[in-house]
Amino acid sequence: MSVLRSEGWSVRPSFVAHGPTSPVTLLADDEGMTQLAGVYPVAWQTPWEEISQLELVRRGRTMRLSATIATTRYQWRRHDLDDFEEVRTLVLAHGGRVGRRRRRAGVAAVATVVLLASVAGGVAAFFTRGSGGVNELRAAQHADLRLADLPTGWSIVPTSILGFLFPAGSQRVATSTTAPPAHSVWATVTEQFQRCLGVSAASDRVYGAAGQMPNYQATSPFFSSSAYGGAQVGMTAQYYATTTMVRRDVAEMSRPRFGACFAASQASLVLSELTGVTTRVSGAQSWQPTTLVHGWDRGGVVSLVLPTLATRLHLVVVVVAGGHYELTLAAMVGQWPQSQSLIESLVNTLKARIVSSSATAV
């Protein structure tokens, strides 16, 4: 198994809205590539099957590595050639292109994403290895929302405001050990949630230090419709190594105010990232969906006004959990509770999907 560790890079665009772009360390092995970014390192891990159009270009004493992940074209730059041969070997091994010079390309399209799970800090574990990795990734992807799950009239859209909540594509996820920088948006959202729910940062499993990361997470496309005064829906599916990890998360998320606290924190994250000004959203309410399929789920809804719109919208967030899975569904709708039956139908579908899954842990 070949392993690469290369330090001293910068990246454009950032992997998270307003996130760190340097210093960046790249890690890679036969299964995938990891980026560690920032003074307080934040980790993103992606399997090779989710990475395309690899290209390494050498210009004088600098090198540039490019790759497409989901729909976003990322570029990493380093102002020396210390690891050039190692990176070159890696790129060629995965079907990439290596060149010395290239005419300046046009500006690549950028999709802004935010990692939902808590990833601020140093990495405590690298790749989760094992023969079950591919099956776990497929299991997470299988659980995701599809266009066929929605009524006629819905369509897939390339970008959505819900992109501030969910990471793009499918990712292998790293764990983290340190708190986010003080006064950052993530720190504010974390403190807001913990104060609302009545948990300490040390014991919080949703945003805090007690959280355990999934092996894989996969985000669905974003879907849009003119129904309900305009609506957008998306979700991310997370696959955990053991069912015990999920049960411990469920124990915290079963607190009566979880739905309201989680919806408010997610709305605060959306508005803060959208405006560039840290904002706390209040007035959220817990909501319990009614479904035919047995299983655990909790939801919350909160109203908010986007700075570019005069109308009030409603953010609905539902978490579904069971077995190895935690699924987070979010909808931004113009009309609530008129859209309640649609969201309950989607929750019912997602619960049935993870109950029927035959995926097992490593």
Side-chain angles (χ1 to χ4, degrees), residues 103-167:
R103 290 191 306 172
R104 187 170 181 176
V107 178
V110 176
T112 305
V113 295
V114 172
L115 190 62
L116 175 64
S118 175
V119 292
V123 174
F126 187 31
F127 287 119
T128 303
R129 297 184 173 90
S131 60
V134 173
N135 290 334
E136 292 178 5
L137 173 60
R138 290 174 179 169
Q141 293 170 331
H142 171 76
D144 260 334
L145 196 63
R146 305 157 196 172
L147 184 59
D149 298 328
L150 291 151
T152 302
W154 285 76
S155 61
I156 295 176
V157 291
T159 59
S160 168
I161 192 172
L162 299 177
F164 286 110
L165 300 181
F166 298 133

Side-chain angles (χ1 to χ4, degrees), residues 36-68:
L36 310 180
V39 176
Y40 300 89
V42 181
W44 289 269
Q45 297 182 351
T46 308
W48 287 117
E49 55 263 33
E50 296 294 325
I51 301 174
S52 62
Q53 299 176 304
L54 270 171
E55 182 180 51
L56 177 64
V57 175
R58 174 179 172 176
R59 290 185 174 180
R61 296 295 302 171
T62 67
M63 55 180 167
R64 184 190 69 210
L65 176 66
S66 304
T68 299

Side-chain angles (χ1 to χ4, degrees), residues 265-325:
S265 66
Q266 294 291 280
S268 296
L269 182 59
V270 168
L271 283 184
S272 296
E273 295 292 354
L274 189 63
T275 64
V277 178
T278 302
T279 305
R280 293 175 184 258
V281 176
S282 59
Q285 296 181 339
S286 294
W287 172 59
Q288 180 63 62
T290 300
T291 62
L292 298 175
V293 178
H294 293 294
W296 186 93
D297 59 84
R298 293 292 187 277
V301 58
V302 61
S303 298
L304 67 164
V305 177
L306 301 183
T308 56
L309 299 175
T311 184
R312 182 169 293 275
L313 299 177
H314 307 274
L315 175 65
V316 186
V317 184
V318 181
V319 179
V320 177
H324 294 271
Y325 296 90

Side-chain angles (χ1 to χ4, degrees), residues 17 22 29 97 109-110 121 124 178 194 208 262 268 286 294 306:
S22 66
D29 70 359
R97 177 182 179 276
V110 176
T178 62
Q194 291 163 353
F262 189 56
S268 296
S286 294
H294 293 294
L306 301 183

Side-chain angles (χ1 to χ4, degrees), residues 243-260:
T243 58
T244 299
M245 296 166 71
V246 174
R247 287 197 300 270
R248 289 173 177 170
D249 287 349
V250 166
E252 175 175 333
M253 295 187 293
S254 295
R255 296 191 179 202
R257 285 192 50 78
F258 168 77

